[in-house]
Amino acid sequence: MSPQTLSLTIDPAASAAPFEQVRTQIAEQARDGALPVGYKLPTVRGLAEDLGLAANTVAKAYRALETDGVIETRGRNGSFIAAAGEAADKEAAAAAESYARRVRRLGLDRRAALAAAENALRATYGTDA
């Protein structure tokens, strides 16, 4: 994939819903720099047509990406890649802090808390987590 080119593939047989596939692929491309900050995304209708999806499916993905801080919508000007790395790092740090407080309240020691987190990461990312 060349820089500054959105490339999405929807797998109808995948376990993830199409909107989640769109959301995940755009987020990954933003995170790895393939889609730079400020890159203008296609319109909801245009991308839906290109992918053979309903406009509501793409709109749902865009809303989730905006909530996650990956994209920003500028009204009629369209949707653009935001500084996703910073937003993702901040959200991950907040989630980790919340987790640490919760497991401490539950009485888990550090080793048990780390084991639970590692098990969850393995379940989510696969055995290499």
Side-chain angles (χ1 to χ4, degrees):
M1 173 176 39
S2 65
Q4 300 189 12
T5 301
L6 178 64
S7 176
L8 303 176
T9 304
I10 303 303
D11 179 0
S15 61
F19 95 88
E20 181 61 23
Q21 292 180 52
V22 171
R23 187 202 65 75
T24 301
Q25 290 178 53
I26 291 174
E28 287 173 354
Q29 290 176 43
R31 192 170 32 258
D32 70 16
L35 297 176
V37 172
Y39 176 85
K40 185 174 182 179
L41 293 167
T43 64
V44 167
R45 289 181 191 269
L47 185 56
E49 186 176 304
D50 289 348
L51 297 174
L53 298 172
N56 285 339
T57 300
V58 174
K60 184 176 181 180
Y62 276 23
R63 283 191 304 272
L65 287 162
E66 190 163 23
T67 298
D68 292 344
V70 175
I71 70 170
E72 58 185 10
T73 300
R74 301 177 191 160
R76 293 179 177 249
N77 291 321
S79 296
F80 299 82
I81 299 296
E86 288 181 24
D89 289 346
K90 286 179 184 176
E91 189 170 338
E97 184 177 343
S98 175
Y99 172 76
R101 284 193 196 119
R102 171 116 180 156
V103 295
R104 187 169 188 186
R105 279 194 310 270
L106 292 172
L108 273 71
D109 64 15
R110 181 184 168 97
R111 186 183 334 238
L114 283 172
E118 288 173 350
N119 287 336
L121 288 169
R122 264 192 295 281
T124 302
Y125 287 96
T127 57
D128 294 336

